[in-house]
Amino acid sequence: MNYQEALNKCKEWNQEHVLQYYEELNEKEKQELLAQIEETDFSVLNSLKNLENIAKKGVVSPLPSMQLSEIEPMKEHYETVGLEAIRQGKVGAVLLAGGMGTRLGSDAPKGVYNIGLTRDLYIFECLIHNMMDVVKSADAWIPLFVMTSDKNHDATVNFFAEHDYFGYNSEKVWFFKQEMAPASDYNGKIYMEAKNKMSTSPNGNGGWFISMARNGLLDVVHKRGIEWLNVFAVDNVLQKIADPLFVGAVIEKNVEVGEKVVRKVNPDEKLGVVCLEDGRPSIVEYYELTDKMRDERDENGDYAYNFGVILNYLFSVSALERIMSRKLALHVVEKKIPYLDKSGNPVKPEEPNGYKYEQLVLDMIHELDSCLSFEVVREHEFAPIKNKTGVDSVESARELLQKNGVAL
Ligand code: UTP
């Protein structure tokens, strides 16, 4: 794309300012900026005009979960089915590690955060350690796909290599990059990160399957006969990955997706809850939960929207392939975005100063026909690290790890 074409494209989207430093750039930098303008999908900015529609939900009703009391008598059976599927190579895992982890306040990938107290214990290490439990019981490696972004790819890949994959089989690990999206101020003007670079951020965790496809990894999935993909977040250090019990239940229930859920500690807890939306599986975000829904009870007198998702889903690959061309909603998320001030100096804001545009994995659930909501024991499987201190933090996760016998 030449300068004129870039200018035309920017004008079309009211973003001419991204070329304001063009004359100050050297030839290489000019080309970098033109290439970025060519690649960038400015249409994400349209979501700003559409905020109300994005938030609109259909008719929401409760989705019953498979609770611990129902799982217990089936435990052995499900585990046998799950282990068999893992042994046959039908189950892969996808680690979503493309996020920026801004709340944790470190520039490094979240997974390299050291949560040890008397020894080194990295977040990635905890996850691999949890996977190794299953590898040992199944006596089979689980293919692991790790999603990164432009911002943290090299640091992530190098970290795994430096630590010898924490004992995992490196031949069973694939890294792939997700797509990026421009980040803007509150008026939809894209920030500049440098004079030759628009501010971008990873485009959310909802594009993981498309990004796998773009990176040629569906060939690996097909060649290996992987039928199920267990997608999980980087920050829950207690979670079970490719958990045979969960895998077996999802297979036996013959659904297109399974979601691990925990019982909420109180009706106001900030967790997305499982539900039906217009009769199809869906998730209501905590901020979408009305007072009426929050207080609604089921026939047993329990809260009707009582089970929250923990970002651990088991998707059927064939179902994902069926829905992969569908467009997911874009969520406009307020975040801290580094930018250049009026004099061209870089600024790292302390408070949110604009929007990122993200697709979310939870929106994939609504595209599928059937879903098993599967309860897990919260104290054993849910220790998310979002913040340094307080709720869902390094501190709270440490406490939970120790309660589960992990030496820190
Ligand atoms: P979060 O929304 O908690 O992560 O994503 P974040 O964006 O990294 O954190 P903050 O809000 O800036 O503090 C949940 C999971 O989804 C992944 C994250 O890495 C985490 O595992 N994720 C998020 C991606 O892989 N890509 C994204 O674009 C966003």
Side-chain angles (χ1 to χ4, degrees), residues 278-320:
D278 297 330
R280 301 175 62 77
S282 188
I283 289 161
V284 192
E285 283 282 26
Y286 66 90
Y287 49 80
E288 296 170 326
L289 203 67
T290 60
D291 290 353
K292 185 168 168 284
M293 283 161 67
R294 187 195 57 197
D295 299 332
E296 198 174 319
R297 305 273 180 163
D298 63 17
E299 65 278 3
N300 303 319
D302 296 324
Y303 286 111
Y305 298 95
N306 204 18
F307 290 95
V309 283
I310 58 171
L311 221 176
N312 188 312
Y313 301 100
L314 185 68
F315 286 97
S316 141
V317 171
S318 60
L320 287 172

mmCIF file of all heavy atoms in Angstrom, residues 278-320:
data_model
loop_
_atom_site.group_PDB
_atom_site.id
_atom_site.type_symbol
_atom_site.label_atom_id
_atom_site.label_comp_id
_atom_site.label_asym_id
_atom_site.label_seq_id
_atom_site.Cartn_x
_atom_site.Cartn_y
_atom_site.Cartn_z
ATOM 1 N N ASP A 278 -32.711 -17.588 24.578
ATOM 2 C CA ASP A 278 -33.611 -18.006 23.495
ATOM 3 C C ASP A 278 -33.522 -19.520 23.293
ATOM 4 O O ASP A 278 -33.474 -20.013 22.161
ATOM 5 C CB ASP A 278 -33.269 -17.269 22.188
ATOM 6 C CG ASP A 278 -33.472 -15.768 22.336
ATOM 7 O OD1 ASP A 278 -34.341 -15.360 23.127
ATOM 8 O OD2 ASP A 278 -32.751 -15.002 21.675
ATOM 9 N N GLY A 279 -33.439 -20.227 24.409
ATOM 10 C CA GLY A 279 -33.456 -21.699 24.359
ATOM 11 C C GLY A 279 -32.120 -22.337 24.020
ATOM 12 O O GLY A 279 -32.005 -23.554 23.990
ATOM 13 N N ARG A 280 -31.082 -21.532 23.768
ATOM 14 C CA ARG A 280 -29.766 -22.096 23.426
ATOM 15 C C ARG A 280 -28.786 -21.808 24.564
ATOM 16 O O ARG A 280 -28.931 -20.824 25.285
ATOM 17 C CB ARG A 280 -29.231 -21.457 22.137
ATOM 18 C CG ARG A 280 -30.142 -21.662 20.936
ATOM 19 C CD ARG A 280 -29.618 -20.899 19.738
ATOM 20 N NE ARG A 280 -28.307 -21.368 19.335
ATOM 21 C CZ ARG A 280 -28.097 -22.496 18.660
ATOM 22 N NH1 ARG A 280 -29.126 -23.243 18.304
ATOM 23 N NH2 ARG A 280 -26.890 -22.883 18.329
ATOM 24 N N PRO A 281 -27.749 -22.661 24.687
ATOM 25 C CA PRO A 281 -26.787 -22.417 25.764
ATOM 26 C C PRO A 281 -26.153 -21.035 25.643
ATOM 27 O O PRO A 281 -25.914 -20.565 24.530
ATOM 28 C CB PRO A 281 -25.721 -23.503 25.561
ATOM 29 C CG PRO A 281 -26.102 -24.280 24.363
ATOM 30 C CD PRO A 281 -27.415 -23.819 23.863
ATOM 31 N N SER A 282 -25.884 -20.423 26.768
ATOM 32 C CA SER A 282 -25.285 -19.094 26.737
ATOM 33 C C SER A 282 -24.693 -18.772 28.109
ATOM 34 O O SER A 282 -24.776 -19.583 29.038
ATOM 35 C CB SER A 282 -26.355 -18.065 26.363
ATOM 36 O OG SER A 282 -25.782 -16.803 26.134
ATOM 37 N N ILE A 283 -24.111 -17.594 28.210
ATOM 38 C CA ILE A 283 -23.540 -17.143 29.477
ATOM 39 C C ILE A 283 -23.954 -15.688 29.694
ATOM 40 O O ILE A 283 -23.863 -14.879 28.773
ATOM 41 C CB ILE A 283 -21.997 -17.278 29.446
ATOM 42 C CG1 ILE A 283 -21.619 -18.762 29.483
ATOM 43 C CG2 ILE A 283 -21.351 -16.535 30.625
ATOM 44 C CD1 ILE A 283 -20.252 -19.088 29.018
ATOM 45 N N VAL A 284 -24.428 -15.401 30.906
ATOM 46 C CA VAL A 284 -24.745 -14.015 31.240
ATOM 47 C C VAL A 284 -23.593 -13.472 32.057
ATOM 48 O O VAL A 284 -23.228 -14.051 33.079
ATOM 49 C CB VAL A 284 -25.995 -13.879 32.150
ATOM 50 C CG1 VAL A 284 -26.471 -12.445 32.229
ATOM 51 C CG2 VAL A 284 -27.094 -14.782 31.709
ATOM 52 N N GLU A 285 -23.022 -12.379 31.609
ATOM 53 C CA GLU A 285 -21.943 -11.752 32.382
ATOM 54 C C GLU A 285 -22.518 -11.196 33.681
ATOM 55 O O GLU A 285 -23.703 -10.839 33.730
ATOM 56 C CB GLU A 285 -21.313 -10.628 31.565
ATOM 57 C CG GLU A 285 -20.379 -11.130 30.482
ATOM 58 C CD GLU A 285 -19.011 -11.553 31.032
ATOM 59 O OE1 GLU A 285 -18.908 -11.923 32.217
ATOM 60 O OE2 GLU A 285 -18.051 -11.521 30.258
ATOM 61 N N TYR A 286 -21.676 -11.072 34.705
ATOM 62 C CA TYR A 286 -22.197 -10.642 36.011
ATOM 63 C C TYR A 286 -22.875 -9.274 35.925
ATOM 64 O O TYR A 286 -23.864 -9.011 36.584
ATOM 65 C CB TYR A 286 -21.091 -10.641 37.074
ATOM 66 C CG TYR A 286 -20.014 -9.625 36.849
ATOM 67 C CD1 TYR A 286 -20.124 -8.351 37.389
ATOM 68 C CD2 TYR A 286 -18.879 -9.918 36.090
ATOM 69 C CE1 TYR A 286 -19.150 -7.406 37.171
ATOM 70 C CE2 TYR A 286 -17.905 -8.971 35.857
ATOM 71 C CZ TYR A 286 -18.049 -7.719 36.403
ATOM 72 O OH TYR A 286 -17.086 -6.775 36.163
ATOM 73 N N TYR A 287 -22.345 -8.405 35.047
ATOM 74 C CA TYR A 287 -22.932 -7.064 34.956
ATOM 75 C C TYR A 287 -24.235 -7.062 34.152
ATOM 76 O O TYR A 287 -24.921 -6.053 34.090
ATOM 77 C CB TYR A 287 -21.921 -6.055 34.377
ATOM 78 C CG TYR A 287 -21.230 -6.509 33.115
ATOM 79 C CD1 TYR A 287 -21.853 -6.412 31.881
ATOM 80 C CD2 TYR A 287 -19.951 -7.059 33.168
ATOM 81 C CE1 TYR A 287 -21.221 -6.851 30.738
ATOM 82 C CE2 TYR A 287 -19.317 -7.513 32.025
ATOM 83 C CZ TYR A 287 -19.947 -7.399 30.810
ATOM 84 O OH TYR A 287 -19.335 -7.859 29.675
ATOM 85 N N GLU A 288 -24.563 -8.191 33.529
ATOM 86 C CA GLU A 288 -25.827 -8.280 32.784
ATOM 87 C C GLU A 288 -26.936 -8.904 33.636
ATOM 88 O O GLU A 288 -28.089 -8.965 33.224
ATOM 89 C CB GLU A 288 -25.654 -9.150 31.530
ATOM 90 C CG GLU A 288 -24.693 -8.595 30.507
ATOM 91 C CD GLU A 288 -24.370 -9.602 29.414
ATOM 92 O OE1 GLU A 288 -24.319 -10.820 29.693
ATOM 93 O OE2 GLU A 288 -24.157 -9.171 28.283
ATOM 94 N N LEU A 289 -26.562 -9.418 34.798
ATOM 95 C CA LEU A 289 -27.518 -10.119 35.649
ATOM 96 C C LEU A 289 -28.452 -9.101 36.324
ATOM 97 O O LEU A 289 -27.998 -8.254 37.092
ATOM 98 C CB LEU A 289 -26.722 -10.890 36.710
ATOM 99 C CG LEU A 289 -27.375 -12.085 37.361
ATOM 100 C CD1 LEU A 289 -27.577 -13.215 36.367
ATOM 101 C CD2 LEU A 289 -26.501 -12.597 38.516
ATOM 102 N N THR A 290 -29.737 -9.198 36.035
ATOM 103 C CA THR A 290 -30.673 -8.246 36.651
ATOM 104 C C THR A 290 -30.929 -8.672 38.101
ATOM 105 O O THR A 290 -30.657 -9.823 38.480
ATOM 106 C CB THR A 290 -32.026 -8.262 35.909
ATOM 107 O OG1 THR A 290 -32.556 -9.592 36.002
ATOM 108 C CG2 THR A 290 -31.874 -7.883 34.437
ATOM 109 N N ASP A 291 -31.484 -7.765 38.903
ATOM 110 C CA ASP A 291 -31.782 -8.108 40.303
ATOM 111 C C ASP A 291 -32.729 -9.296 40.367
ATOM 112 O O ASP A 291 -32.600 -10.188 41.204
ATOM 113 C CB ASP A 291 -32.428 -6.911 41.019
ATOM 114 C CG ASP A 291 -31.409 -5.803 41.232
ATOM 115 O OD1 ASP A 291 -30.216 -6.049 40.949
ATOM 116 O OD2 ASP A 291 -31.817 -4.695 41.647
ATOM 117 N N LYS A 292 -33.691 -9.303 39.433
ATOM 118 C CA LYS A 292 -34.689 -10.376 39.430
ATOM 119 C C LYS A 292 -34.010 -11.727 39.177
ATOM 120 O O LYS A 292 -34.269 -12.711 39.863
ATOM 121 C CB LYS A 292 -35.731 -10.077 38.338
ATOM 122 C CG LYS A 292 -36.883 -11.024 38.301
ATOM 123 C CD LYS A 292 -37.994 -10.490 37.391
ATOM 124 C CE LYS A 292 -39.027 -11.546 37.108
ATOM 125 N NZ LYS A 292 -38.590 -12.552 36.142
ATOM 126 N N MET A 293 -33.122 -11.742 38.196
ATOM 127 C CA MET A 293 -32.425 -12.992 37.898
ATOM 128 C C MET A 293 -31.524 -13.396 39.064
ATOM 129 O O MET A 293 -31.429 -14.568 39.420
ATOM 130 C CB MET A 293 -31.570 -12.833 36.634
ATOM 131 C CG MET A 293 -32.366 -12.881 35.354
ATOM 132 S SD MET A 293 -31.424 -12.158 34.003
ATOM 133 C CE MET A 293 -30.122 -13.318 33.840
ATOM 134 N N ARG A 294 -30.890 -12.406 39.641
ATOM 135 C CA ARG A 294 -29.974 -12.697 40.753
ATOM 136 C C ARG A 294 -30.705 -13.406 41.893
ATOM 137 O O ARG A 294 -30.184 -14.330 42.510
ATOM 138 C CB ARG A 294 -29.368 -11.390 41.260
ATOM 139 C CG ARG A 294 -28.287 -11.590 42.290
ATOM 140 C CD ARG A 294 -27.993 -10.318 43.008
ATOM 141 N NE ARG A 294 -29.200 -9.781 43.634
ATOM 142 C CZ ARG A 294 -29.342 -8.550 44.059
ATOM 143 N NH1 ARG A 294 -28.372 -7.683 43.901
ATOM 144 N NH2 ARG A 294 -30.461 -8.151 44.631
ATOM 145 N N ASP A 295 -31.964 -12.995 42.145
ATOM 146 C CA ASP A 295 -32.703 -13.544 43.285
ATOM 147 C C ASP A 295 -33.576 -14.743 42.934
ATOM 148 O O ASP A 295 -34.157 -15.365 43.820
ATOM 149 C CB ASP A 295 -33.588 -12.443 43.898
ATOM 150 C CG ASP A 295 -32.736 -11.286 44.411
ATOM 151 O OD1 ASP A 295 -31.575 -11.551 44.774
ATOM 152 O OD2 ASP A 295 -33.223 -10.144 44.428
ATOM 153 N N GLU A 296 -33.685 -15.057 41.647
ATOM 154 C CA GLU A 296 -34.580 -16.150 41.226
ATOM 155 C C GLU A 296 -34.132 -17.499 41.808
ATOM 156 O O GLU A 296 -32.945 -17.777 41.897
ATOM 157 C CB GLU A 296 -34.566 -16.212 39.689
ATOM 158 C CG GLU A 296 -35.733 -16.976 39.114
ATOM 159 C CD GLU A 296 -35.732 -16.873 37.580
ATOM 160 O OE1 GLU A 296 -35.452 -15.776 37.034
ATOM 161 O OE2 GLU A 296 -35.991 -17.916 36.959
ATOM 162 N N ARG A 297 -35.121 -18.301 42.194
ATOM 163 C CA ARG A 297 -34.801 -19.627 42.763
ATOM 164 C C ARG A 297 -35.340 -20.724 41.871
ATOM 165 O O ARG A 297 -36.321 -20.535 41.153
ATOM 166 C CB ARG A 297 -35.479 -19.770 44.136
ATOM 167 C CG ARG A 297 -35.150 -18.678 45.119
ATOM 168 C CD ARG A 297 -33.905 -18.997 45.876
ATOM 169 N NE ARG A 297 -33.575 -17.956 46.840
ATOM 170 C CZ ARG A 297 -32.729 -18.128 47.835
ATOM 171 N NH1 ARG A 297 -32.130 -19.286 47.994
ATOM 172 N NH2 ARG A 297 -32.468 -17.157 48.675
ATOM 173 N N ASP A 298 -34.705 -21.904 41.932
ATOM 174 C CA ASP A 298 -35.227 -23.035 41.169
ATOM 175 C C ASP A 298 -36.201 -23.836 42.040
ATOM 176 O O ASP A 298 -36.490 -23.446 43.178
ATOM 177 C CB ASP A 298 -34.087 -23.906 40.615
ATOM 178 C CG ASP A 298 -33.265 -24.541 41.720
ATOM 179 O OD1 ASP A 298 -33.738 -24.579 42.878
ATOM 180 O OD2 ASP A 298 -32.146 -24.999 41.438
ATOM 181 N N GLU A 299 -36.665 -24.998 41.531
ATOM 182 C CA GLU A 299 -37.695 -25.735 42.276
ATOM 183 C C GLU A 299 -37.174 -26.290 43.599
ATOM 184 O O GLU A 299 -37.932 -26.602 44.499
ATOM 185 C CB GLU A 299 -38.331 -26.837 41.401
ATOM 186 C CG GLU A 299 -37.434 -27.975 40.957
ATOM 187 C CD GLU A 299 -36.591 -27.628 39.722
ATOM 188 O OE1 GLU A 299 -36.663 -26.474 39.250
ATOM 189 O OE2 GLU A 299 -35.850 -28.505 39.250
ATOM 190 N N ASN A 300 -35.840 -26.382 43.762
ATOM 191 C CA ASN A 300 -35.282 -26.859 45.033
ATOM 192 C C ASN A 300 -35.014 -25.728 46.008
ATOM 193 O O ASN A 300 -34.479 -25.942 47.097
ATOM 194 C CB ASN A 300 -33.959 -27.593 44.797
ATOM 195 C CG ASN A 300 -34.136 -28.746 43.847
ATOM 196 O OD1 ASN A 300 -35.131 -29.466 43.922
ATOM 197 N ND2 ASN A 300 -33.192 -28.914 42.930
ATOM 198 N N GLY A 301 -35.316 -24.514 45.584
ATOM 199 C CA GLY A 301 -35.072 -23.366 46.466
ATOM 200 C C GLY A 301 -33.665 -22.804 46.330
ATOM 201 O O GLY A 301 -33.280 -21.879 47.042
ATOM 202 N N ASP A 302 -32.856 -23.375 45.433
ATOM 203 C CA ASP A 302 -31.496 -22.828 45.219
ATOM 204 C C ASP A 302 -31.554 -21.686 44.210
ATOM 205 O O ASP A 302 -32.499 -21.579 43.429
ATOM 206 C CB ASP A 302 -30.577 -23.924 44.651
ATOM 207 C CG ASP A 302 -30.398 -25.060 45.626
ATOM 208 O OD1 ASP A 302 -30.352 -24.785 46.843
ATOM 209 O OD2 ASP A 302 -30.322 -26.227 45.170
ATOM 210 N N TYR A 303 -30.528 -20.854 44.226
ATOM 211 C CA TYR A 303 -30.478 -19.779 43.236
ATOM 212 C C TYR A 303 -30.465 -20.391 41.823
ATOM 213 O O TYR A 303 -29.744 -21.362 41.565
ATOM 214 C CB TYR A 303 -29.232 -18.908 43.423
ATOM 215 C CG TYR A 303 -29.342 -17.997 44.620
ATOM 216 C CD1 TYR A 303 -28.550 -18.199 45.746
ATOM 217 C CD2 TYR A 303 -30.246 -16.944 44.620
ATOM 218 C CE1 TYR A 303 -28.665 -17.365 46.858
ATOM 219 C CE2 TYR A 303 -30.369 -16.103 45.726
ATOM 220 C CZ TYR A 303 -29.581 -16.333 46.828
ATOM 221 O OH TYR A 303 -29.705 -15.512 47.919
ATOM 222 N N ALA A 304 -31.255 -19.805 40.945
ATOM 223 C CA ALA A 304 -31.393 -20.385 39.600
ATOM 224 C C ALA A 304 -30.177 -20.085 38.716
ATOM 225 O O ALA A 304 -29.875 -20.823 37.783
ATOM 226 C CB ALA A 304 -32.662 -19.845 38.940
ATOM 227 N N TYR A 305 -29.472 -18.983 39.042
ATOM 228 C CA TYR A 305 -28.261 -18.635 38.269
ATOM 229 C C TYR A 305 -27.073 -18.689 39.228
ATOM 230 O O TYR A 305 -26.505 -17.682 39.614
ATOM 231 C CB TYR A 305 -28.409 -17.242 37.645
ATOM 232 C CG TYR A 305 -29.563 -17.159 36.674
ATOM 233 C CD1 TYR A 305 -30.812 -16.700 37.085
ATOM 234 C CD2 TYR A 305 -29.406 -17.563 35.344
ATOM 235 C CE1 TYR A 305 -31.881 -16.649 36.201
ATOM 236 C CE2 TYR A 305 -30.466 -17.508 34.455
ATOM 237 C CZ TYR A 305 -31.701 -17.052 34.892
ATOM 238 O OH TYR A 305 -32.746 -17.014 34.002
ATOM 239 N N ASN A 306 -26.757 -19.905 39.617
ATOM 240 C CA ASN A 306 -25.848 -20.095 40.737
ATOM 241 C C ASN A 306 -24.483 -20.631 40.330
ATOM 242 O O ASN A 306 -23.613 -20.813 41.160
ATOM 243 C CB ASN A 306 -26.505 -21.084 41.719
ATOM 244 C CG ASN A 306 -25.986 -20.926 43.117
ATOM 245 O OD1 ASN A 306 -25.406 -19.900 43.444
ATOM 246 N ND2 ASN A 306 -26.168 -21.947 43.938
ATOM 247 N N PHE A 307 -24.303 -20.908 39.035
ATOM 248 C CA PHE A 307 -23.055 -21.546 38.618
ATOM 249 C C PHE A 307 -22.281 -20.665 37.648
ATOM 250 O O PHE A 307 -22.791 -20.270 36.606
ATOM 251 C CB PHE A 307 -23.344 -22.920 38.009
ATOM 252 C CG PHE A 307 -23.791 -23.904 39.050
ATOM 253 C CD1 PHE A 307 -25.141 -24.137 39.289
ATOM 254 C CD2 PHE A 307 -22.852 -24.544 39.844
ATOM 255 C CE1 PHE A 307 -25.546 -25.010 40.285
ATOM 256 C CE2 PHE A 307 -23.242 -25.426 40.850
ATOM 257 C CZ PHE A 307 -24.592 -25.658 41.067
ATOM 258 N N GLY A 308 -21.040 -20.369 38.049
ATOM 259 C CA GLY A 308 -20.220 -19.444 37.258
ATOM 260 C C GLY A 308 -19.171 -20.185 36.448
ATOM 261 O O GLY A 308 -18.628 -21.206 36.892
ATOM 262 N N VAL A 309 -18.871 -19.654 35.282
ATOM 263 C CA VAL A 309 -17.856 -20.289 34.413
ATOM 264 C C VAL A 309 -16.456 -19.887 34.870
ATOM 265 O O VAL A 309 -16.240 -18.789 35.370
ATOM 266 C CB VAL A 309 -18.051 -19.921 32.926
ATOM 267 C CG1 VAL A 309 -19.181 -20.699 32.326
ATOM 268 C CG2 VAL A 309 -18.255 -18.421 32.730
ATOM 269 N N ILE A 310 -15.501 -20.813 34.657
ATOM 270 C CA ILE A 310 -14.121 -20.552 35.100
ATOM 271 C C ILE A 310 -13.151 -20.576 33.918
ATOM 272 O O ILE A 310 -11.955 -20.773 34.091
ATOM 273 C CB ILE A 310 -13.692 -21.550 36.192
ATOM 274 C CG1 ILE A 310 -13.790 -23.003 35.692
ATOM 275 C CG2 ILE A 310 -14.554 -21.371 37.438
ATOM 276 C CD1 ILE A 310 -13.154 -24.016 36.666
ATOM 277 N N LEU A 311 -13.692 -20.371 32.725
ATOM 278 C CA LEU A 311 -12.897 -20.395 31.493
ATOM 279 C C LEU A 311 -12.131 -21.701 31.326
ATOM 280 O O LEU A 311 -10.914 -21.722 31.159
ATOM 281 C CB LEU A 311 -11.959 -19.184 31.395
ATOM 282 C CG LEU A 311 -11.868 -18.573 29.985
ATOM 283 C CD1 LEU A 311 -11.015 -17.317 29.933
ATOM 284 C CD2 LEU A 311 -11.440 -19.549 28.929
ATOM 285 N N ASN A 312 -12.882 -22.786 31.387
ATOM 286 C CA ASN A 312 -12.327 -24.104 31.092
ATOM 287 C C ASN A 312 -13.428 -24.850 30.344
ATOM 288 O O ASN A 312 -14.424 -25.259 30.947
ATOM 289 C CB ASN A 312 -11.920 -24.808 32.395
ATOM 290 C CG ASN A 312 -11.165 -26.093 32.137
ATOM 291 O OD1 ASN A 312 -11.583 -26.917 31.325
ATOM 292 N ND2 ASN A 312 -10.042 -26.265 32.818
ATOM 293 N N TYR A 313 -13.251 -24.933 29.023
ATOM 294 C CA TYR A 313 -14.296 -25.500 28.162
ATOM 295 C C TYR A 313 -13.723 -26.660 27.350
ATOM 296 O O TYR A 313 -12.565 -26.618 26.927
ATOM 297 C CB TYR A 313 -14.791 -24.457 27.146
ATOM 298 C CG TYR A 313 -15.359 -23.199 27.748
ATOM 299 C CD1 TYR A 313 -14.591 -22.034 27.818
ATOM 300 C CD2 TYR A 313 -16.666 -23.151 28.228
ATOM 301 C CE1 TYR A 313 -15.105 -20.864 28.357
ATOM 302 C CE2 TYR A 313 -17.187 -21.979 28.767
ATOM 303 C CZ TYR A 313 -16.401 -20.848 28.826
ATOM 304 O OH TYR A 313 -16.912 -19.688 29.356
ATOM 305 N N LEU A 314 -14.575 -27.649 27.098
ATOM 306 C CA LEU A 314 -14.175 -28.739 26.208
ATOM 307 C C LEU A 314 -15.067 -28.674 24.963
ATOM 308 O O LEU A 314 -16.273 -28.904 25.051
ATOM 309 C CB LEU A 314 -14.342 -30.086 26.908
ATOM 310 C CG LEU A 314 -13.833 -31.288 26.116
ATOM 311 C CD1 LEU A 314 -12.311 -31.259 25.975
ATOM 312 C CD2 LEU A 314 -14.248 -32.600 26.790
ATOM 313 N N PHE A 315 -14.460 -28.311 23.840
ATOM 314 C CA PHE A 315 -15.222 -28.126 22.600
ATOM 315 C C PHE A 315 -15.044 -29.320 21.670
ATOM 316 O O PHE A 315 -13.926 -29.844 21.522
ATOM 317 C CB PHE A 315 -14.700 -26.905 21.828
ATOM 318 C CG PHE A 315 -15.087 -25.583 22.410
ATOM 319 C CD1 PHE A 315 -14.214 -24.894 23.246
ATOM 320 C CD2 PHE A 315 -16.307 -25.002 22.103
ATOM 321 C CE1 PHE A 315 -14.558 -23.649 23.764
ATOM 322 C CE2 PHE A 315 -16.664 -23.755 22.618
ATOM 323 C CZ PHE A 315 -15.783 -23.079 23.443
ATOM 324 N N SER A 316 -16.130 -29.678 20.994
ATOM 325 C CA SER A 316 -16.024 -30.675 19.925
ATOM 326 C C SER A 316 -15.436 -29.986 18.698
ATOM 327 O O SER A 316 -15.901 -28.916 18.288
ATOM 328 C CB SER A 316 -17.432 -31.216 19.620
ATOM 329 O OG SER A 316 -17.583 -31.397 18.228
ATOM 330 N N VAL A 317 -14.398 -30.581 18.128
ATOM 331 C CA VAL A 317 -13.727 -29.960 16.979
ATOM 332 C C VAL A 317 -14.690 -29.843 15.796
ATOM 333 O O VAL A 317 -14.744 -28.812 15.123
ATOM 334 C CB VAL A 317 -12.467 -30.766 16.594
ATOM 335 C CG1 VAL A 317 -11.876 -30.272 15.282
ATOM 336 C CG2 VAL A 317 -11.424 -30.686 17.709
ATOM 337 N N SER A 318 -15.485 -30.876 15.564
ATOM 338 C CA SER A 318 -16.378 -30.799 14.389
ATOM 339 C C SER A 318 -17.425 -29.701 14.582
ATOM 340 O O SER A 318 -17.782 -29.007 13.622
ATOM 341 C CB SER A 318 -17.027 -32.156 14.090
ATOM 342 O OG SER A 318 -17.770 -32.559 15.203
ATOM 343 N N ALA A 319 -17.876 -29.505 15.812
ATOM 344 C CA ALA A 319 -18.839 -28.424 16.053
ATOM 345 C C ALA A 319 -18.172 -27.066 15.821
ATOM 346 O O ALA A 319 -18.762 -26.152 15.233
ATOM 347 C CB ALA A 319 -19.381 -28.511 17.476
ATOM 348 N N LEU A 320 -16.922 -26.950 16.246
ATOM 349 C CA LEU A 320 -16.209 -25.678 16.038
ATOM 350 C C LEU A 320 -16.040 -25.386 14.552
ATOM 351 O O LEU A 320 -16.164 -24.250 14.107
ATOM 352 C CB LEU A 320 -14.820 -25.737 16.691
ATOM 353 C CG LEU A 320 -14.774 -25.664 18.204
ATOM 354 C CD1 LEU A 320 -13.368 -25.931 18.716
ATOM 355 C CD2 LEU A 320 -15.234 -24.285 18.691
#
